[in-house]
Amino acid sequence: MRPARILCVLLVSLVFTACAAPQVRPAGSIRKVVVVAGSRVDVLPSGSFRQDMIGESNPRTVIARQTEAVLAERGFEVVATRQSQAPVPLTDEVASFIQQNKAEAGVVVILDWLDVSGAAVLGRVDVVLRVGVVDPTGQVLWTDTFRSSPTVSVYQAQSDWNSFLRRAVIEAVQVVP
C-alpha cells in the first residue's frame, strides 16, 4: 500500500512540474537578449578526459551555457551566444553583436577570479563574476560584481570542477533585471 502512495505522489509532482509554464517577463522590460561570456581565467581545472574533450575546461563555455539556461528559465528569449576571446569583452563588440542579432540588450558575464584551493578538502571555491546589461547603442544599463563561495559535496568537488562555476553563474544571473 505504501509504495502505491509514494508512486502516486511522485506522478502528481511530475505532472505539476511538466505543466509549469516558464516565467513571463513583465510588460516593458527587456525580453530579447544575447549572451556574451568572457573570462580572465584561461582554463578551469578539469576533472576528467570527457571534460577536456567537450570543452568544459573552457570557462567561457560553462558561463555561456549556464547563463543562457538561467535567462531562458526566467522568461528571456536568448537569440544568440558569443564567447569573447578577450578577457573582458569591449562594449563595441557587445553592441555590434546585439545589433547583428536584432536583440534588445546583451547580458555580459565575466569570470574575474577563481580560487580552487579549498575545493578538494572543503568542497568550496571562491568565484568573482562581473555581470552587466548593455543596450544596442553600447550604453551600460546595469552592472554588478558578485563574490560567491558555492559549496558542493566533496565527491562532486573531486569529480566535477565546473559545478562551482555553474552555481556561481546561477546566483549572479538570477539578479539581472
Side-chain angles (χ1 to χ4, degrees), residues 29-124:
S29 65
I30 296 170
R31 187 173 171 282
K32 195 173 179 182
V33 297
V34 295
V35 172
V36 179
S39 177
R40 292 182 186 270
V41 178
D42 291 331
V43 178
L44 295 173
S46 63
S48 70
F49 179 70
R50 179 190 63 86
Q51 288 175 338
D52 288 338
M53 289 303 295
I54 61 174
E56 288 184 351
S57 63
N58 181 352
R60 292 170 185 85
T61 304
V62 176
I63 291 168
R65 287 179 187 165
Q66 196 62 52
T67 301
E68 187 175 347
V70 172
L71 289 173
E73 183 180 287
R74 291 189 51 214
F76 286 91
E77 179 186 345
V78 179
V79 293
T81 303
R82 173 181 277 178
Q83 298 174 21
S84 176
Q85 296 307 312
V88 178
L90 297 174
T91 309
D92 295 338
E93 172 191 353
V94 177
S96 67
F97 189 56
I98 295 167
Q99 292 166 0
Q100 288 171 4
N101 292 287
K102 297 177 178 53
E104 298 170 19
V107 177
V108 181
V109 182
I110 302 164
L111 175 62
D112 266 342
W113 187 66
L114 180 71
D115 179 9
V116 295
S117 60
V121 178
L122 302 173
R124 192 182 104 195

